[in-house]
Amino acid sequence: MNQYQAIIIGFGKAGKTLAATLAKADWKVAIIEQSNTMYGGTCINIGCIPTKTLVHDAEMQHDFAAAMQRKTDVVRFLRDKNFHNLAGLDNVDVIEGRAEFVDNHTVRVIQATGTRELRGEKIFINTGAQSTMPDIKGLSSTPGVFDSTGLLNLAQRPQRLGILGGGYIGVEFASMFANFGSKVTIFEAAPLFLPREDRDVADAIARILRDKGVELILNANVHSVSSQDGAVQIQMPEETHSVDALLIASGRKPATEALQLKNAGVDVNDRGGIIVNRYLRTSADNIWAMGDVTGGLQFTYISLDDFRIVRDSLLGDGLRNTGDRQNVPYSVFMTPPLSRVGMSEEQARASGAEVQVVTLPVTAIPRARVMDDTRGMLKAVVDVNTQRILGVSLLCVDSHEMINIVKTVMDAGLPYTVLRDQIFTHPSMSESLNDLFALVK
């Protein structure tokens, strides 16, 4: 049986970064990945990188087939680079196979040629998340139904694309495929579109999508899916829709089912997420969990921060923990992108703070005129008494870059006036923060 100081299950952001760091500290490390198409993790292979590459090419109105090929080339390059970054280290063994626990120190790896067992002093789980499948008749057996991974590998653009689920993944794919020229219909079971966003922001997003030709159906009670004449039939009580492809965008859940966690004494919640403390330790003292598998925020940068916490526990002073995180931003890469940090207006008012809300139309921003995209709005919520920024929503070109500036100011506890009076380059989208916060009285 092979002995290691650290066994890492999963080649995601936290796992691969931890493997390299421990190896450089002279630890003997094994990193297990069940698929050679997933070196580098979800983001590189089936998440952020391929989708954002396609978003870019769709915005540039590139040919669909050419865009798909470029996406494939980008992914292959980064996957190969990630593999060799670890495989090239003397004290790291990269092992392909499906891992399951025998006990809290022993991992069985199931491979095409048989099984092998590894023993580790410390074990780190970074297996990510997987798509969920709603309980709808015919959904899992109908040709032309895809999860996001399958849709990213289409050879031909669907003329008509249906999307089951109007959340952030659904919105991003809807915007992308509409830009490629597909007729897109979103089927959202809930009565509200993007319920985590304020209504004015969600309504602005809906207008942008509809202006692209996207049909948005709320309260969509899809009861069955079937195939007819090569098309996917989506049956609802009062109508049937026919599409060439249907994307299941109903969310993702922690990928823990095959790990046999009970054998290691690792507890999970009702959604299969591994339960961890603030230092990412599980209920087994020598096992940690990082990234999407804990059931928290599913962002690559959270996985990276999880690595920092574990690194500090192993090689530092052991003080860093999840409670240190402030104001985690997120971006939805529709066109134009939505980015938000902090509280929504609704959350801020519910907190009991005395707030002022200001909004700025993108039409007022010179740089947006230069870039020929004046769609969207900027919105900020400020605490009147402390002058602190409680939250910001940016629906505009380059919002994914601008939001990081806002986060830095919020984390530093600085007043909104810092952004109101900051000197920015011109013409830039960032300088619109001058104008937005100048509206605060």
Side-chain angles (χ1 to χ4, degrees):
M1 183 184 298
N2 296 110
Q3 301 277 344
Y4 295 92
Q5 289 170 276
I7 296 174
I8 299 169
I9 305 174
F11 212 120
K13 184 67 172 181
K16 67 184 182 185
T17 314
L18 181 63
T21 299
L22 295 180
K24 291 171 184 175
D26 294 326
W27 289 42
K28 184 172 175 55
V29 179
I31 184 164
I32 305 167
E33 174 52 57
Q34 67 178 354
S35 171
N36 60 15
T37 65
M38 287 297 290
Y39 293 129
T42 295
C43 178
I44 283 175
N45 294 286
I46 60 174
C48 325
I49 297 300
T51 55
K52 278 52 175 182
T53 303
L54 289 174
V55 166
H56 172 271
D57 285 9
E59 290 173 347
M60 298 296 103
Q61 298 182 328
H62 290 175
D63 173 75
F64 182 78
M68 280 291 185
Q69 183 57 56
R70 194 176 83 84
K71 175 269 302 179
T72 299
D73 293 343
V74 169
V75 169
R76 283 177 178 167
F77 171 81
L78 292 174
R79 181 192 299 148
D80 183 70
K81 179 180 179 182
N82 273 262
F83 172 76
H84 286 99
N85 281 348
L86 289 186
L89 297 175
D90 291 338
N91 48 340
V92 174
D93 291 337
V94 179
I95 301 170
E96 183 182 336
R98 183 177 66 79
E100 62 181 29
F101 282 93
V102 177
D103 56 45
N104 67 313
H105 282 285
T106 310
V107 175
R108 180 184 296 117
V109 183
I110 302 167
Q111 302 174 301
T113 56
T115 64
R116 59 188 291 192
E117 290 190 357
L118 315 177
R119 187 163 181 83
E121 295 175 21
K122 296 177 173 60
I123 301 177
F124 307 87
I125 305 170
N126 186 220
T127 50
Q130 60 193 32
S131 298
T132 58
M133 183 73 69
D135 186 17
I136 295 175
K137 181 181 178 182
L139 196 61
S140 60
S141 59
T142 300
V145 176
F146 304 93
D147 61 10
S148 59
T149 302
L151 204 69
L152 285 171
N153 291 294
L154 288 182
Q156 185 175 352
R157 175 182 63 84
Q159 294 291 327
R160 302 166 299 171
L161 174 65
I163 299 178
L164 194 60
Y168 299 126
I169 294 175
V171 165
E172 194 169 285
F173 274 90
S175 177
M176 176 205 308
F177 274 84
N179 282 339
F180 274 127
S182 297
K183 175 65 178 73
V184 180
T185 303
I186 296 176
F187 302 88
E188 171 54 57
L192 279 180
F193 179 55
L194 297 178
R196 286 179 57 187
E197 307 301 328
D198 288 327
R199 287 306 86 202
D200 52 353
V201 175
D203 289 346
I205 294 170
R207 283 194 300 273
I208 289 171
L209 291 174
R210 288 181 175 124
D211 287 346
K212 293 181 181 182
V214 176
E215 183 179 6
L216 178 59
I217 301 176
L218 300 177
N219 294 303
N221 180 19
V222 176
H223 60 74
S224 65
V225 173
S226 61
S227 179
Q228 182 178 329
D229 300 326
V232 180
Q233 304 296 313
I234 303 164
Q235 285 90 29
M236 297 191 294
E238 297 180 356
E239 57 186 350
T240 298
H241 290 257
S242 181
V243 297
D244 302 305
L246 177 64
L247 168 64
I248 308 305
S250 53
R252 294 171 67 81
K253 64 179 181 179
T256 57
E257 292 174 357
L259 289 172
Q260 303 296 329
L261 293 171
K262 286 185 179 180
N263 293 341
V266 174
D267 295 333
V268 299
N269 60 27
D270 57 1
R271 283 185 52 81
I274 296 176
I275 298 170
V276 293
N277 65 13
R278 293 192 305 161
Y279 303 93
L280 301 174
R281 280 183 181 264
T282 71
S283 50
D285 286 345
N286 68 307
I287 300 176
W288 287 255
M290 309 173 293
D292 298 355
V293 76
T294 65
L297 295 172
Q298 295 183 8
F299 300 132
T300 298
Y301 42 93
I302 292 296
S303 189
L304 177 61
D305 197 58
D306 282 355
F307 149 73
R308 296 181 184 123
I309 292 169
V310 173
R311 177 188 60 187
D312 189 55
S313 293
L314 301 175
L315 305 176
D317 57 20
L319 298 178
R320 188 171 186 137
N321 60 76
T322 56
D324 297 331
R325 290 177 185 150
Q326 302 181 62
N327 305 308
V328 177
Y330 62 84
S331 293
V332 181
F333 284 82
M334 58 177 291
T335 306
L338 164 71
S339 301
R340 182 152 80 81
V341 65
M343 298 181 185
S344 65
E345 176 185 351
E346 183 178 347
Q347 290 169 331
R349 294 193 186 282
S351 74
E354 184 181 354
V355 303
Q356 183 177 355
V357 179
V358 292
T359 60
L360 181 74
V362 178
T363 54
I365 303 172
R367 179 63 179 172
R369 295 280 179 184
V370 170
M371 299 175 75
D372 195 27
D373 192 345
T374 57
R375 295 170 296 175
M377 61 181 291
L378 281 61
K379 181 174 184 177
V381 184
V382 173
D383 187 312
V384 172
N385 295 316
T386 66
Q387 296 194 330
R388 299 278 183 87
I389 302 168
L390 299 180
V392 168
S393 297
L394 306 174
L395 177 60
C396 63
V397 175
D398 288 346
S399 70
H400 54 290
E401 300 287 356
M402 299 164 63
I403 204 68
N404 296 311
I405 300 172
V406 179
K407 170 186 166 48
T408 300
V409 170
M410 292 175 66
D411 285 354
L414 299 173
Y416 76 90
T417 52
V418 169
L419 291 177
R420 183 195 66 188
D421 301 332
Q422 184 60 274
I423 299 174
F424 292 102
T425 56
H426 173 80
S428 66
M429 290 301 294
S430 297
E431 69 176 337
S432 64
L433 297 172
N434 288 159
D435 299 325
L436 176 65
F437 287 101
L439 297 171
V440 179
K441 304 299 182 187

